[in-house]
């Protein structure tokens, strides 16, 4: 397993693999890898002959008020995880390698990015679509792997690949949780002990929603109110949103009459966490 820093090195390696007739999977990450990322690497290792893991904290998807500077980074720890789970190379470029001076081309999307996280993070998905397009152009993978925890990101990337005729299969992988239910996230490291306990309201609200759907409830208002009441009872929690949307268009729906995504973003102290469930998985 090797770490490469330049676009030329990744391209060279992928070209060699292609000459040997090998298939290539890509796992895009921002590093500080945890079991959630490990499951994506394992899925790629299972499906493809070779796996590239990109490890790049993408400045373009952070607003000036967000946590770009404090976002955790540890390439040695990441290298161990990638090696243990079957990755073949880590692509770990500097921002200047990805965005040269004068960089001025962007991939943007309307509609799907204007709901959920797109409301409080208006520039986020433009940064995600741009960097993921660049990674797709650099690696040219057969398949690319994304976690369902970032459910809107997954929908946006699927839509982008479809809109722009990118010849890449997008694979969505299940949310990986801590034993007590908290969805794994690099941002969980920001939580102090009290916040860590309080953060359980997200997965507990997910369970409340799932149980209501399992019991046949179809009113989104009833489901969302039950979830919000649970979260609001926790003093350290502040809801950004809890919404039910059409899982393809990301537009809000009043009744569960189609496959839906129930998604939330909640501040625990200063840390913004997300969680969700798809009604199809219930
Ligand atoms: O999900 C992430 O970690 C990032 O948004 C991604 C897809 C690696 C793009 O920077």
């Amino acid at each position: 397993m090797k770490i490469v820093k330049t676009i030329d090195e990744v391209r060279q390696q992928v070209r060699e693999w292609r000459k040997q007739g090998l298939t290539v999977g890509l796992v895009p990450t921002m590093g500080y890898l945890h079991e959630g990322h490990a499951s994506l690497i394992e899925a790629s290792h299972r499906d493809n002959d070779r796996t590239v893991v990109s490890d790049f904290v993408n400045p373009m998807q952070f607003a000036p008020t967000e946590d770009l500077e404090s976002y955790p980074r540890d390439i040695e720890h990441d290298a161990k995880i990638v090696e243990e789970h079957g990755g073949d190379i880590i692509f770990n470029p500097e921002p200047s390698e990805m965005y040269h001076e004068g960089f001025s081309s962007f991939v943007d999307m309307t509609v799907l990015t204007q709901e959920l996280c797109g409301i409080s993070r208006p520039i986020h998905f433009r940064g995600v679509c741009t960097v993921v397009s660049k990674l797709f152009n650099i690696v040219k993978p057969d398949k690319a792997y994304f976690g369902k925890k970032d459910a809107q990101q997954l929908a946006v990337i699927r839509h982008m690949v479809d809109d722009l005729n990118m010849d890449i299969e997008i694979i969505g992988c299940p949310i990986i949780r801590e034993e007590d239910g908290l969805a794994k996230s690099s941002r969980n490291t920001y939580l102090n002990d009290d916040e860590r306990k309080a953060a359980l309201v997200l997965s507990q609200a997910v369970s409340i929603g799932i149980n209501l759907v399992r019991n046949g409830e179809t009113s989104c208002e009833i489901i969302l109110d039950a979830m919000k009441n649970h979260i609001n009872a926790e003093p350290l929690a502040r809801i950004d949103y809890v919404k039910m949307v059409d899982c393809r268009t990301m537009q809000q729906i009043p009744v569960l009459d189609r496959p839906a995504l129930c998604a939330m973003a909640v501040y625990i102290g200063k840390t913004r966490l997300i969680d969700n469930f798809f009604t199809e998985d219930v």
Side-chain angles (χ1 to χ4, degrees):
M1 206 287 299
K2 60 180 173 182
I3 302 176
V4 302
K5 304 289 287 181
T6 68
I7 293 167
D8 281 352
E9 285 171 289
V10 192
R11 285 201 160 137
Q12 176 64 27
Q13 178 62 82
V14 173
R15 265 199 293 270
E16 278 168 30
W17 289 336
R18 291 293 186 198
K19 266 192 223 148
Q20 295 166 42
L22 302 175
T23 57
V24 178
L26 171 66
V27 181
T29 82
M30 295 208 301
Y32 212 69
L33 305 182
H34 50 65
E35 288 87 339
H37 300 111
S39 74
L40 305 180
I41 300 167
E42 279 173 10
S44 174
H45 181 60
R46 250 191 333 264
D47 296 350
N48 304 279
D49 299 315
R50 295 289 182 268
T51 292
V52 178
V53 178
S54 64
D55 188 318
F56 176 60
V57 183
N58 174 33
M60 198 189 284
Q61 67 191 71
F62 289 79
T65 49
E66 293 181 339
D67 56 342
L68 173 62
E69 294 311 321
S70 57
Y71 197 85
R73 295 158 167 92
D74 186 346
I75 190 67
E76 278 164 27
H77 156 89
D78 291 351
K80 273 195 209 128
I81 304 245
V82 172
E83 176 124 56
E84 276 167 23
H85 296 275
D88 295 283
I89 55 173
I90 301 184
F91 175 43
N92 177 226
E94 291 301 320
S96 57
E97 177 71 7
M98 291 298 275
Y99 301 114
H100 57 71
E101 218 187 305
F103 184 90
S104 49
S105 304
F106 302 90
V107 181
D108 211 346
M109 187 182 293
T110 56
V111 189
L112 268 78
T113 59
Q114 286 158 0
E115 252 297 348
L116 307 178
C117 291
I119 295 175
S120 47
R121 305 189 74 192
I123 61 145
H124 176 69
F125 288 110
R126 172 167 129 139
V128 170
C129 287
T130 302
V131 81
V132 170
S133 301
K134 284 173 69 67
L135 291 168
F136 286 175
N137 284 332
I138 293 164
V139 178
K140 297 201 181 83
D142 299 286
K143 296 187 167 83
Y145 296 78
F146 296 88
K148 285 188 178 178
K149 183 169 82 70
D150 294 294
Q152 186 178 15
Q153 170 172 280
L154 178 60
V156 163
I157 288 166
R158 283 192 197 286
H159 202 81
M160 175 184 82
V161 162
D162 189 39
D163 278 352
L164 302 182
N165 309 101
M166 295 171 165
D167 192 14
I168 294 168
E169 190 181 341
I170 302 301
I171 313 286
C173 299
I175 297 178
I176 306 293
R177 296 180 181 279
E178 303 285 355
E179 262 178 34
D180 60 8
L182 180 67
K184 301 252 183 195
S185 163
S186 306
R187 290 192 168 97
N188 291 348
T189 54
Y190 297 154
L191 303 169
N192 65 29
D193 289 350
D194 288 342
E195 290 168 345
R196 174 65 184 77
K197 281 184 208 130
L200 289 180
V201 288
L202 280 93
S203 54
Q204 288 164 353
V206 163
S207 301
I208 290 169
I210 288 176
N211 282 333
L212 285 165
V213 175
R214 278 197 187 132
N215 291 333
E217 183 57 65
T218 57
S219 156
C220 297
E221 193 180 345
I222 291 177
I223 297 165
L224 297 174
D225 280 353
M227 295 170 70
K228 285 184 206 166
N229 288 342
H230 182 76
I231 298 168
N232 284 331
E234 167 52 60
L236 291 178
R238 182 169 58 83
I239 292 176
D240 178 0
Y241 67 79
V242 182
K243 288 183 181 172
M244 192 73 79
V245 295
D246 178 309
C247 69
R248 213 175 33 83
T249 64
M250 299 288 113
Q251 302 308 296
Q252 289 190 69
I253 52 170
V255 181
L256 285 185
D257 56 0
R258 68 197 92 174
L261 164 70
C262 181
M264 69 180 80
V266 177
Y267 286 93
I268 303 292
K270 287 193 175 136
T271 306
R272 186 175 177 279
L273 299 176
I274 56 174
D275 205 339
N276 69 68
F277 67 93
F278 286 86
T279 54
E280 280 197 321
D281 294 340
V282 162

